[in-house]
Amino acid sequence: MFNPNVVVKNIVMQTGVENVVTLIARILMAYIFIVAGWGKLTAYSATAGYMEAMGVPAALLPLTILVEFGGGLALLFGFQARFAAFGLGVFSILTAFIFHGADDQAQQINFMKNLAMAGGLFYLMLYGAGRLSLDHKIEN
């Protein structure tokens, strides 16, 4: 009997394919954090004002940039990826509730996006960065 789930599993679990898919997944997860962190760095004053308006001290902006930009780069290169994924997952949940809890549809979508990202990040935390990563090079 044809089982499409088994077919996909047999394709993606081949060593070369698995390595490339894991790398692509890391790149896709890292992208949003690198871009967001860089954006906060280049629009520092505006971001600080927005944070203050949302009740978050602007003094936390350097930490926010470090978490987003630094954590995004860590995911991208697969360096301390489990730790970075955990931190970014918690960060995503916190920011969902702090910044995206409004009733309008756009904020609800951003809220759900943050939760979905946290789910993917926690999965990465469990299974690691894969063979095409600095973590793999360091551990072996």
Side-chain angles (χ1 to χ4, degrees), residues 24-57:
I24 291 169
R26 277 198 348 260
I27 292 168
L28 293 173
M29 285 190 283
Y31 178 74
I32 192 168
F33 293 105
I34 294 169
V35 170
W38 183 255
K40 286 173 180 63
L41 188 61
T42 58
Y44 196 92
S45 295
T47 304
Y50 177 70
M51 288 175 69
E52 290 280 348
M54 298 300 290
V56 177

Side-chain angles (χ1 to χ4, degrees), residues 25-40 68-69 71-73 75 88 91-92 100 110 113-114 117 121:
R26 277 198 348 260
I27 292 168
L28 293 173
M29 285 190 283
Y31 178 74
I32 192 168
F33 293 105
I34 294 169
V35 170
W38 183 255
K40 286 173 180 63
E68 285 186 326
F69 193 71
L73 288 174
L75 286 185
L88 288 169
F91 177 83
S92 296
H100 305 303
N110 283 326
K113 171 209 43 117
N114 277 40
M117 289 187 325
L121 290 160

Side-chain angles (χ1 to χ4, degrees), residues 23 31 37 41 50 67 71 88 90 95 107 110 112 129 132-133 135:
L23 175 62
Y31 178 74
L41 188 61
Y50 177 70
V67 168
L88 288 169
V90 170
T95 57
Q107 290 305 324
N110 283 326
M112 291 182 288
L132 301 177
S133 68
D135 285 347

Side-chain angles (χ1 to χ4, degrees), residues 55-76:
V56 177
L60 293 176
L61 183 52
L63 179 61
T64 300
I65 293 168
L66 177 65
V67 168
E68 285 186 326
F69 193 71
L73 288 174
L75 286 185
L76 179 65

